[in-house]
Amino acid sequence: MLSQYQQQYAALSDVTFSENEQGVIFIHVASSLAKAQLCLQGGHVCAFQPQGEEPVLWMSDSALFQQDKAIRGGVPVCWPWFGPHPNGLPQHGFVRNQAWLLESVEQQPDGVITVVMGINENEASRALWPHAFHLQLAVTIGSSLEMALTCRNVGDQVIEVGGALHSYFAVADIGHTRIEGLAGVSFDDKVSGEKGIIQCGDVLIDQEVDRVYLNTESEIFIHDEGQNRVIAVSKQGSRGTVVWNPWVEKAASMGDFDDEGYSQMVCVEAVNCGDDVFSLNPGENHTLTQKISVKH
Ligand code: TA6
């Protein structure tokens, strides 16, 4: 597959491909606008760095890039559900653990590059979730990063679908970071178990935080004060926003999460969960989008 992709897209000098020892294929983008790295394992955006900026996405130094393993950082795709499954199926669904196919790569005259990755039902997915689907992630790389996750019901039954773009953002220092845009929004706290708490002001993180904010379509502003920048995250097709930082103990308990990594990351996730999961009739689509940009 690697040589096929290299030949197919040889004319795009800003796009190259590589494969690691575990057979994971990476797509490297280096244009005048930004650098990015994607991989077909999990349909995963691993890195994004606009020209003149520091990296925007966080990736654990001990992340694993291998078949059947979710990647600890960047933007994992959670689908067809977010979080734990009532029947003990894999947390955050199964597509982040599977190899996707590269469907297309295009570059516009202005230098913006769009990479489309896709996955269909397969023997492994049917064993977990007996439905036919096509899932596609279109990643548009320019001075901002746009992601559009579109699922299509290609079966003959109604399916219920949730999911998330589980984005890990890089910050200089979590102690000098605040998250604006959720004031007044009700959230369920997965750490304390409390539900229906109203957010007062910006979200500050000085302990483990795992919050599901409900009924919000707000744009989020991550004030990365240590780097004098704001990471703006807007979304469509989702009414849930999750904010997560594992803090010291939970970070240390995850083998693929750097022990000190918690101090330089925060997850802000565009989510379809709870009463925001949706039913798709045969032939219907749903698209979840997010746009990530850096402002000063
Ligand atoms: O989005 C927050 C969360 O649901 C946390 O509860 C934590 O489990 C995190 O996702 C990471 O999950 P993972 O399965 O990738 O380790």
Side-chain angles (χ1 to χ4, degrees):
M1 290 301 276
L2 177 64
S3 56
Q4 175 191 325
Y5 293 145
Q6 288 170 325
Q7 288 165 18
Q8 188 172 353
Y9 299 106
L12 294 178
S13 58
D14 291 350
V15 181
T16 55
F17 300 85
S18 66
E19 183 172 5
N20 72 5
E21 291 176 358
Q22 287 72 34
V24 171
I25 291 179
F26 293 85
I27 304 149
H28 308 275
V29 170
S31 75
S32 59
L33 301 172
K35 289 192 292 187
Q37 184 190 68
L38 300 80
C39 74
L40 293 181
Q41 171 59 24
H44 202 100
V45 175
C46 304
F48 171 64
Q49 184 173 8
Q51 190 65 29
E53 296 292 347
E54 293 299 314
V56 175
L57 300 176
W58 179 85
M59 179 63 71
S60 171
D61 292 340
S62 38
L64 299 172
F65 297 90
Q66 61 190 53
Q67 311 288 355
D68 306 328
K69 176 72 184 156
I71 298 168
R72 183 67 66 193
V75 185
V77 175
C78 303
W79 195 87
W81 57 82
F82 170 80
H85 189 280
N87 301 339
L89 299 180
Q91 165 152 281
H92 294 330
F94 48 78
V95 298
R96 64 174 183 163
N97 303 326
Q98 293 196 11
W100 294 36
L101 291 173
L102 180 61
E103 295 190 353
S104 66
V105 186
E106 292 179 355
Q107 184 162 25
Q108 307 302 327
D110 62 3
V112 172
I113 290 170
T114 298
V115 178
V116 180
M117 301 177 281
I119 186 170
N120 296 302
E121 80 281 357
N122 52 63
E123 187 178 344
S125 73
R126 276 192 291 269
L128 295 169
W129 195 66
H131 301 294
F133 65 88
H134 177 59
L135 186 66
Q136 187 179 77
L137 182 67
V139 184
T140 301
I141 300 146
S143 53
S144 59
L145 176 71
E146 296 185 51
M147 300 175 68
L149 181 69
T150 300
C151 55
R152 181 177 182 80
N153 180 355
V154 299
D156 56 8
Q157 301 170 334
V158 177
I159 56 177
E160 184 170 278
V161 179
L165 292 172
H166 192 297
S167 309
Y168 287 76
F169 292 99
V171 295
D173 174 358
I174 195 65
H176 292 89
T177 299
R178 57 187 173 88
I179 298 165
E180 177 191 2
L182 295 166
V185 178
S186 174
F187 68 90
D188 294 346
D189 187 328
K190 289 171 65 177
V191 176
S192 69
E194 278 186 82
K195 295 183 182 297
I197 308 167
I198 301 298
Q199 176 64 40
C200 296
D202 294 343
V203 180
L204 305 176
I205 296 175
D206 58 3
Q207 59 188 318
E208 181 184 357
V209 167
D210 193 350
R211 300 177 182 175
V212 183
Y213 289 84
L214 305 164
N215 299 313
T216 174
E217 296 174 276
S218 300
E219 183 172 18
I220 302 297
F221 301 95
I222 303 169
H223 291 263
D224 178 10
E225 295 169 349
Q227 294 186 104
N228 298 314
R229 68 179 184 176
V230 176
I231 301 171
V233 189
S234 59
K235 65 174 184 176
Q236 288 185 329
S238 151
R239 288 190 291 111
T241 297
V242 168
V243 175
W244 178 59
N245 185 296
W247 210 244
V248 180
E249 284 177 26
K250 189 151 285 181
S253 72
M254 292 180 277
D256 61 354
F257 201 118
D258 308 329
D259 289 358
E260 300 307 317
Y262 74 91
S263 63
Q264 296 192 306
M265 59 70 67
V266 62
C267 283
V268 175
E269 308 158 30
V271 175
N272 293 116
C273 70
D275 65 4
D276 189 31
V277 301
F278 45 90
S279 294
L280 282 185
N281 293 314
E284 281 189 332
N285 293 336
H286 173 270
T287 297
L288 166 62
T289 67
Q290 74 172 353
K291 180 177 181 180
I292 298 167
S293 51
V294 178
K295 303 180 187 300
H296 290 277

